[in-house]
Amino acid sequence: MVALFDELDVDETYRAVRWFFYERLPEIKRKAGAWGDYSSPSVDGMPKTPSAGNGSERRMINHSRYASALYAVRYAIKGCSLTSQKIIQLKYIDELPNWKIKNQIGYKGNGTYNKLVKQAALEFADCIEPACDYYSVEEKIIPDLHAKFGTKMGQNEAKEGSNRGHHGATL
C-alpha cells in the first residue's frame, strides 16, 4: 500500500527553516530593496546599436520578484498559530536570544521551548508553500522547506531550489 503522505523529517525541516531565515531571507531582503538607478533614458538624436536588454526593466522585474517573496513570507507567518508567529518574529526576525524569547512567550523550560520552536518551523514550512503559490514566487527564490525521511535539505540543495513537489508549474 502506498502512503498518502510522505513521512516528514521534523529535525531536517527545522534546519531548512532555520537556514531559510538566517541565510536566504536576508538575501531576498537585499534583492527586494535593490532598486538601482532608474533614470530616464537620454536621447541625443544619434543612431545607436540596440543594447542586449533593458537594464532598468530587468532590475524592476527582479525587484518585483523578490518583493513578492517578502510578501509571501509575511503572509506565511500570519498563517501560523499565534505562539508560532511570536516565536518566528522574536527568534528569526528580531534575532533575540532564547532566554528573552522564553520570557516573552511565558515558557521557562528548554524542552517545551524547543518543541515550540520546532512546531513554529513546521507551521511556517506548511504555510510558505500556499503563500508562494498565492504570490507567484518561483521555487528557486523560496524552495520547499519540508524534508522527508531519506532526503537531506542542505544549503546547496535549497539554494538551487531542488524540486520536492513545491509550487507546481514553472512560472
Side-chain angles (χ1 to χ4, degrees):
M1 180 174 188
V2 177
L4 183 58
F5 297 102
D6 290 331
E7 200 166 325
L8 189 66
D9 185 334
V10 174
D11 292 331
E12 284 300 315
T13 299
Y14 166 69
R15 284 183 197 76
V17 170
R18 191 176 60 198
W19 166 83
F20 174 79
F21 279 110
Y22 289 139
E23 302 293 329
R24 187 68 177 133
L25 186 60
E27 180 183 350
I28 291 169
K29 286 179 179 178
R30 284 191 305 273
K31 290 182 178 182
W35 279 87
D37 179 24
Y38 293 107
S39 55
S40 298
S42 62
V43 180
D44 62 8
M46 298 299 294
K48 297 198 182 344
T49 306
S51 66
N54 185 335
S56 294
E57 181 180 344
R58 187 177 59 252
R59 285 190 299 271
M60 286 296 291
I61 290 169
N62 275 338
H63 167 77
S64 176
R65 291 170 52 221
Y66 286 94
S68 292
L70 285 178
Y71 286 122
V73 170
R74 289 184 192 116
Y75 187 71
I77 292 170
K78 289 181 188 293
C80 297
S81 68
L82 291 177
T83 300
S84 292
Q85 286 181 41
K86 196 166 192 175
I87 289 170
I88 291 168
Q89 179 66 41
L90 297 173
K91 184 170 184 65
Y92 300 115
I93 308 300
D94 299 341
E95 296 185 5
L96 293 181
N98 288 334
W99 68 269
K100 282 189 177 181
I101 299 168
K102 285 191 254 184
N103 285 340
Q104 289 198 24
I105 63 172
Y107 289 92
K108 304 292 183 204
N110 288 335
T112 302
Y113 171 72
N114 290 334
K115 286 178 186 175
L116 290 171
V117 169
K118 285 186 179 184
Q119 180 61 38
L122 293 175
E123 288 181 24
F124 180 79
D126 289 344
C127 292
I128 194 64
E129 287 190 63
C132 286
D133 289 339
Y134 183 77
Y135 284 99
S136 300
V137 177
E138 298 172 49
E139 188 174 358
K140 68 182 181 180
I141 296 174
I142 300 179
D144 182 7
L145 300 175
H146 290 103
K148 313 297 188 282
F149 280 106
T151 65
K152 184 133 177 132
M153 177 70 171
Q155 291 178 1
N156 291 335
E157 184 179 359
K159 286 182 183 177
E160 293 168 7
S162 78
N163 188 2
R164 284 199 302 270
H166 176 62
H167 298 290
T170 304
L171 301 176

